[in-house]
């Protein structure tokens, strides 16, 4: 299976996927830490967190997959949402909560 296939499987088989540096418990970059905090603030309980620092193939492959040059990257229901700046904007205007609600990932937002 190619890296692109692995990524496609991850985002297809998990409602919420966060490609990040480090883990939700120990983020290894401020941008990834912010992304984790925003998901928590939205009430997301289940997320597949993929540590790109543990796999350089994924680290580069995800940029190609999404056509987006940086980490973190959030996917909801197989759809690329954005990085931490976009997540923060969408959280502030309520769009992210709505998207998670529509996806059936959180009850009340
Ligand atoms: N403003 C960006 C911040 C993310 C960013 O600049 N990430 C850099 C540094 S962590 C990155 O992924 N560089 C490529 C790499 O490390 O592979 C966002 O909204 O997500
Ligand atoms: S690891 Fe240096 S900015 Fe993210």
């Amino acid at each position: 299976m190619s890296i692109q296939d692995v990524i496609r499987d991850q985002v297809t088989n998990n409602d919420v996927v966060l490609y990040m540096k480090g883990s939700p418990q120990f983020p290894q970059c401020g941008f990834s830490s912010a992304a984790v905090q925003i998901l928590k603030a939205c009430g997301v309980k289940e997320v597949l967190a993929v540590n790109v620092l543990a796999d350089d193939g994924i680290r580069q492959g995800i940029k190609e997959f999404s056509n987006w040059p940086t980490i973190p990257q959030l996917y909801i229901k197989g759809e690329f949402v954005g990085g931490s700046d976009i997540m923060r904007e969408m959280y502030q205007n309520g769009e992210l909560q709505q998207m998670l609600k529509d996806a059936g990932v959180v009850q009340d937002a």
Side-chain angles (χ1 to χ4, degrees):
M1 205 158 57
S2 75
I3 296 273
Q4 296 298 306
D5 288 336
V6 169
I7 292 170
R8 193 170 295 105
D9 269 16
Q10 289 171 332
V11 302
T12 302
N13 296 327
N14 299 275
D15 285 345
V16 183
V17 185
L18 183 67
Y19 293 88
M20 64 177 290
K21 294 187 178 179
S23 66
Q25 290 74 27
F26 296 102
Q28 294 191 40
C29 170
F31 297 120
S32 288
S33 179
V36 168
Q37 291 310 315
I38 292 165
L39 288 180
K40 270 190 195 151
C42 289
V44 174
K45 303 270 185 266
E46 273 194 37
V47 51
L48 174 65
V50 179
N51 180 5
V52 304
L53 295 180
D55 188 331
D56 203 56
I58 297 277
R59 180 176 182 172
Q60 303 313 327
I62 190 61
K63 297 168 188 168
E64 191 184 315
F65 187 80
S66 58
N67 200 22
W68 184 262
T70 54
I71 311 297
Q73 294 193 18
L74 175 68
Y75 282 78
I76 298 175
K77 291 259 179 192
E79 211 184 299
F80 175 58
V81 178
S84 61
D85 288 351
I86 286 171
M87 287 176 71
R88 185 170 5 85
E89 275 168 36
M90 290 179 70
Y91 175 67
Q92 282 167 354
N93 67 25
E95 255 183 283
L96 186 58
Q97 295 91 321
Q98 190 60 50
M99 193 179 273
L100 289 161
K101 241 168 123 175
D102 292 347
V105 174
V106 297
Q107 269 64 51
D108 279 301

